[in-house]
Amino acid sequence: MTLPPQDTSPITLDDVAKHAGVSPMTVSNVINGKNNVRPTTRDKVLKAIEATGYRVNPMARALAGGRSRLISVFTPQLNKPYASEVVQGAARAAETLNYDLVVMMLVENNTSDLSLMTRLSSGALLIQPSREGRWKHTDLPAQVVSVDGPGDRPLTVDNYGGARQAMQHLLNLGHTRIGFISGLKDEGRQPDQPSPAPERNDADERHRGYLDSLQDAGLLVQEKYIQHGDYTKRSGEEAARALLSQPHPPTALFVSGDQMALGAIHMAQDLGFRVPQDVSIVGFDDLPIAAASRPALTTVHQPLQRMGEVAVQMLVALIEGHTPEQPGPFPTELVVRESTAPPQTPA
C-alpha cells in the first residue's frame, strides 16, 4: 500500500487565519502584540497558532516592518564560560517574555557587516565589551544594556565585597602569606585617564579588596606576592609559577578569576605542591568548571545567569516604553569547596 505524500509546505499566516475564522490582519495584530484585538478573538488566534503549529519568523517580521521582538547579544568571547552563563540567563528571560535572541561573537578584525542585524533588533545586550571593540562602531539599537562593561546601563557585581569574602576565608583558616593573581591590570583605563573608568574596574576592585583585607588584619602587603594575569588559564599558570617558586612561597593564593585559578592549581601540582595541604587556592566567578575541578575549587559566586535575566528584562521594559530601575551591584557569595584548608607550614 502506498501512502499519499504528506504536505510539507510551511504553515502560513493565512492558514492560521482560516483556522481561527478571522482575517490575516487580525492574526498579524495578535502576533505583533497590538492591543486592538478583543480578548476572545486573541484567544481564538492563539489556539489556532498552537493547533496549526505556525511558527513566527522573527527575521521576516522585522524585515516586513513589523514590530521586532529581536534582541541582539554581542560578546567578544562567546566561547568562554563567563559569556555562556550570561547568555543562558538571557535566553531564559527572552523565552518567558516572548522575545528572540540572536547571539553574535565579535572577534578581532571581524569584517562581517553587523548593521543589518542591529537595525532589525529592538535592543542589544553587550557582554564584557571593550571600549575599542567593534560594537562601538556599529549602529546599535537605541536600547542597550551591558553586563560587565561600559555603557549607559551596566550591570556589575560587588567585586570589592567578593574579594573581602575570599580573603576573610583564608585569614580565618590561619593564612598570613597570601598571594594574589589579579585580572587585567588596566581593563578600565583610557589613555587620557589616570585611573580606570568606574564602569569597568573589576580587577582593581578585587585588588583593592585584597590590599584592604591584609591591612585590616595587620599584615604587611608584599609586592612579591602579587602577580597580574588576563583571566586565562595560561596566565594563571605563569603567575602561580612565579609565586610558588619563591624561597618562601605563599601558603594561599587568591585568584581573581576561575580559569586562572584552575591554571594555578595545575601549576601548583606540577611543582609538587599539594592543594590544599601545601597551598590553598580561591577563585572568583563560580563557573561550572569550578565544581568539576580536582580538587573542587573554593570560589566567589557571582550570579551570571541572573544578570543575563535582568539584562533582558531591562531591555524589554525599555523597548516597551518603560523606565526600569537600574540595579545596584549584584551581591556575591563565597562557595567553600575542597581547594582551601589551614596552612600546614609555619606562617
Side-chain angles (χ1 to χ4, degrees):
M1 177 180 178
T2 302
L3 295 175
Q6 293 183 339
D7 184 3
T8 57
S9 58
I11 302 298
T12 67
L13 187 143
D14 287 341
D15 295 329
V16 176
K18 291 177 182 177
H19 193 282
V22 299
S23 70
M25 180 61 70
T26 299
V27 176
S28 177
N29 289 339
V30 171
I31 290 173
N32 288 297
K34 295 184 178 179
N35 297 321
N36 59 345
V37 181
R38 289 181 296 179
T40 54
T41 303
R42 184 182 303 276
D43 289 343
K44 286 171 58 178
V45 171
L46 293 176
K47 289 178 181 177
I49 290 173
E50 182 177 0
T52 58
Y54 177 71
R55 294 182 63 83
V56 179
N57 185 328
M59 299 291 288
R61 177 173 59 190
L63 285 168
R67 178 183 175 186
S68 169
R69 300 186 74 86
L70 283 176
I71 292 175
S72 292
V73 180
F74 298 114
T75 175
Q77 50 177 10
L78 179 60
N79 58 335
K80 295 187 178 180
Y82 183 104
S84 298
E85 287 291 293
V86 176
V87 169
Q88 283 189 53
R92 188 160 52 243
E95 182 178 9
T96 300
L97 295 169
N98 195 27
Y99 274 71
D100 297 285
L101 288 187
V102 178
V103 184
M104 303 191 71
M105 185 172 74
L106 303 183
V107 296
E108 208 59 36
N109 301 319
N110 187 0
T111 58
S112 62
D113 184 7
L114 304 178
S115 59
L116 174 61
M117 186 58 62
T118 54
R119 285 200 302 269
L120 294 179
S121 301
S122 294
L125 168 59
L126 310 177
I127 304 175
Q128 292 187 314
S130 67
R131 291 184 176 277
E132 297 76 23
R134 193 171 189 275
W135 69 269
K136 195 71 174 177
H137 310 291
T138 303
D139 294 328
L140 291 173
Q143 310 301 346
V144 179
V145 174
S146 67
V147 172
D148 188 18
D152 294 336
R153 304 175 187 89
L155 300 185
T156 61
V157 299
D158 182 9
N159 290 287
Y160 176 79
R164 294 296 300 251
Q165 290 173 332
M167 287 296 294
Q168 194 59 54
H169 172 63
L170 294 173
L171 291 166
N172 288 344
L173 288 172
H175 294 280
T176 56
R177 298 204 311 267
I178 303 174
F180 177 62
I181 303 176
S182 80
L184 294 168
K185 188 177 181 182
D186 300 317
E187 67 180 330
R189 202 178 304 276
Q190 297 186 79
D192 59 346
Q193 287 186 325
S195 61
E199 65 266 38
R200 185 72 191 277
N201 60 352
D202 301 10
D204 289 307
E205 286 296 281
R206 295 171 196 180
H207 191 178
R208 187 166 68 90
Y210 167 78
L211 297 176
D212 288 354
S213 296
L214 290 179
Q215 292 171 352
D216 290 349
L219 298 173
L220 181 67
V221 175
Q222 302 187 62
E223 289 298 325
K224 67 179 182 179
Y225 285 161
I226 299 174
Q227 292 287 321
H228 299 288
D230 61 6
Y231 297 117
T232 64
K233 181 175 179 289
R234 180 183 294 274
S235 71
E237 292 173 347
E238 294 171 352
R241 181 191 294 276
L243 291 169
L244 298 178
S245 297
Q246 299 179 24
H248 298 285
T251 62
L253 302 179
F254 168 40
V255 187
S256 56
D258 280 356
Q259 292 192 87
M260 292 193 300
L262 294 182
I265 287 177
H266 294 165
M267 179 54 66
Q269 293 169 339
D270 288 347
L271 294 174
F273 288 82
R274 297 169 299 164
V275 181
Q277 294 90 338
D278 300 321
V279 59
S280 289
I281 297 178
V282 179
F284 201 114
D285 286 332
D286 195 24
L287 300 174
I289 54 176
S293 70
R294 290 294 177 266
L297 180 65
T298 294
T299 187
V300 177
H301 174 80
Q302 51 177 332
L304 300 179
Q305 291 196 24
R306 177 58 183 157
M307 292 169 73
E309 290 180 354
V310 172
V312 167
Q313 290 166 357
M314 290 177 63
L315 276 173
V316 170
L318 290 164
I319 291 166
E320 298 183 354
H322 307 294
T323 304
E325 182 178 347
Q326 176 70 36
F330 285 75
T332 57
E333 179 184 359
L334 181 71
V335 180
V336 179
R337 295 194 177 101
E338 302 169 348
S339 65
T340 50
Q344 293 192 3
T345 58

